[in-house]
Amino acid sequence: RKEVEQDPGPFNVPEGATVAFNCTYSNSASQSFFWYRQDCRKEPKLLMSVYSSGNEDGRFTAQLNRASQYISLLIRDSKLSDSATYLCVVNGPSGSARQLTFGSGTQLTVLP
Amino acid sequence: EPEVTQTPSHQVTQMGQEVILRCVPISNHLYFYWYRQILGQKVEFLVSFYNNEISEKSEIFDDQFSVERPDGSNFTLKIRSTKLEDSAMYFCASSPSSGGREQYFGPGTRLTVT
């Protein structure tokens, strides 16, 4: 099983749509969870941390289900500028607190 | 807003040559990292550095790689004898605390080994 698994997409959605990304992780000892976004040939940029209770930042909502080892990201009212690759990231592998493990990313294109 | 900076943005080198990639982490951060991303692949951890020593390293970080914090601001990655397969984007990151929380990435150095 891959350490962090994401649907690669691509997701092509019209402006204003709501889109959801899912991610599963294999390391049950992971304690930190994030969504990063990466534009083509650029660095990963932190979008948001994911907390057990779920959290929201404007149009973005992240959820964590530790029992299922599942993380989600919901984007409401998509903008053209949301077009990017969204990376699910957890700390780990097992026993490692400082090392981040990245998923392969889900590509999103928001269409006018 | 403080940010991680990296130089050069692009480095071309011949196989077998040594390269040094440079990073200036965010000034009050305590943990520093190197990651790499081969074109079309996912971001991979190389090494973490804290209190002037390596905290963790991956299998990729073999004897050809080394890291150093030569002064109070710079953090460097050296590859002693580059191979074709070292061609990748190398990202430096830093974080203010332990636990792998909120790591902030620099813009990367694209290394091309010919």
Side-chain angles (χ1 to χ4, degrees), chain A residues 8-66:
Chain A
F11 284 63
N12 298 317
V13 302
E15 263 187 295
T18 296
V19 61
F21 304 137
N22 304 317
C23 164
T24 56
Y25 61 94
S26 62
N27 178 15
S28 59
S30 290
Q31 295 295 318
S32 302
F33 309 91
F34 311 95
W35 285 100
Y36 280 74
R37 67 170 279 168
Q38 186 173 31
D39 294 290
C40 189
R41 295 179 176 254
K42 302 280 191 180
E43 75 272 25
K45 289 194 173 173
L46 179 66
L47 184 64
M48 58 197 302
S49 302
V50 187
Y51 303 117
S52 297
S53 54
N55 48 301
E56 188 174 308
D57 183 2
R59 299 181 292 108
F60 300 86
T61 301
Q63 297 279 350
L64 169 65
N65 183 323
R66 284 185 186 268

Side-chain angles (χ1 to χ4, degrees), chain A residues 36 38 43 49 96-99, chain B residues 31 37 56 99-100 102-103 106:
Chain A
Y36 280 74
Q38 186 173 31
E43 75 272 25
S49 302
S96 166
R98 299 184 182 89
Q99 182 177 149
Chain B
Y31 291 86
Q37 186 174 30
E56 296 170 270
E102 282 110 13
Q103 293 183 23

